[in-house]
Amino acid sequence: MKLLSIATFVLAAFSPLFARDLTVSTNGTGVVERAGVDDRAVSKANLILEANGSFTIGLVGNSDYRFKGIWQQAGRDSMQLKVTSAFGKDASGTGTLDLDDRRTGPVVGRLSMIGDSRAGSFKARFQGDREAFIQVPGITRPSLPPPPVLVQSLRGGSGNVRISGQPVYRLTHAYVNLNPDGSALVNVYGMATAGYVGTWVPAGANTYQLNVRGGFAGERVTGAVTIGPGGRSFSRLELSGTSNRVYYSIAFEPAR
């Protein structure tokens, strides 16, 4: 099935971890294992960590191995990874990424991934050198702590995107970030990937009304998000609206 090609929206001002995208190349040692390949010559990791929750990792050895997916903050410098593409093929995998803070900025500390793809099962590991690394000029992470949040949650589950005149696109993940200042960020991932930014207001018990813009053609949509027990996650997301006579809607429910 042909995937919908959509430019990913970079909404750095509302990043859960970074104030802008992080691009860094780190020297080290690693290994990539896949069907018919056991490459232990990996000596560099090229990382693109985007503020909207997506990542790209290139491990350089006898070949250049590329992985893509989405990330979720697990600690100040630690991330949980969900791998959705490996070696240019659809994939399903998980991983962890730890960054090391250096005087000149963060570098890849430790990386591990495992999963299956259309190119076969895979494992990948990388350990950054303690001293030798390459920092991409001009791209650094501020030392300021992340701003306080009301809700900040990346959830797996099921949902769909409906756009007038197009097939229904299935969703596998959604990210909701509501800040105390009234700003809101919503990202959805799956066969279609899009990001919205805007505002929220209370709309009832555990429910917040959203007024956001972005998505596929800068459309403005409204809807609501329902917050689950504990107030740190969400249990339902709905958005819809019409722009230039094109109808857009998003519905997503996290897995229980």
Side-chain angles (χ1 to χ4, degrees):
M1 181 179 294
K2 184 178 180 181
L3 299 182
L4 181 63
S5 176
I6 301 172
T8 303
F9 287 82
V10 179
L11 302 172
F14 302 99
S15 165
L17 182 61
F18 298 101
R20 50 180 168 173
D21 298 347
L22 174 70
T23 302
V24 64
S25 181
T26 307
N27 293 328
T29 57
V31 58
V32 173
E33 301 175 21
R34 55 182 290 198
V37 175
D38 188 0
D39 189 346
R40 298 184 177 276
V42 173
S43 60
K44 183 182 294 185
N46 298 317
L47 170 67
I48 300 175
L49 201 63
E50 298 188 45
N52 65 2
S54 63
F55 74 84
T56 300
I57 294 172
L59 296 178
V60 182
N62 293 321
S63 186
D64 189 352
Y65 309 100
R66 190 168 296 269
F67 304 86
K68 295 183 179 182
I70 57 179
W71 64 269
Q72 180 180 17
Q73 185 175 350
R76 183 181 181 277
D77 296 306
S78 300
M79 279 130 275
Q80 295 289 332
L81 306 179
K82 179 176 178 62
V83 182
T84 58
S85 174
F87 321 113
K89 304 290 185 179
D90 290 343
S92 176
T94 59
T96 58
L97 169 65
D98 295 329
L99 299 179
D100 282 348
D101 270 329
R102 303 290 173 85
R103 181 177 56 83
T104 53
V107 298
V108 177
R110 181 175 299 174
L111 166 71
S112 66
M113 294 179 289
I114 185 171
D116 295 289
S117 76
R118 291 184 180 179
S121 60
F122 64 87
K123 293 181 180 179
R125 298 186 302 277
F126 182 83
Q127 175 69 59
D129 288 348
R130 287 296 179 183
E131 299 300 334
F133 64 92
I134 303 170
Q135 175 70 39
V136 176
I139 306 296
T140 60
R141 193 192 67 184
S143 59
L144 296 176
V149 295
L150 178 68
V151 177
Q152 180 176 289
S153 178
L154 174 66
R155 299 287 306 274
S158 61
N160 57 68
V161 174
R162 298 178 185 273
I163 304 174
S164 298
Q166 297 191 31
V168 176
Y169 300 98
R170 291 177 295 175
L171 299 176
T172 59
H173 288 77
Y175 173 78
V176 174
N177 178 201
L178 306 183
N179 292 304
D181 63 0
S183 61
L185 167 65
V186 175
N187 291 332
V188 293
Y189 307 91
M191 295 176 63
T193 300
Y196 295 89
V197 63
T199 59
W200 64 266
V201 295
N206 301 321
T207 302
Y208 299 87
Q209 179 180 330
L210 301 176
N211 187 344
V212 293
R213 187 165 189 164
F216 307 94
E219 69 271 11
R220 183 176 296 280
V221 293
T222 60
V225 59
T226 303
I227 306 306
R232 302 296 293 178
S233 184
F234 68 96
S235 58
R236 176 73 180 174
L237 171 66
E238 293 181 331
L239 295 169
S240 63
T242 301
S243 179
N244 295 323
R245 299 183 179 180
V246 177
Y247 176 73
Y248 301 86
S249 75
I250 291 174
F252 184 84
E253 288 191 6
R256 298 190 182 279

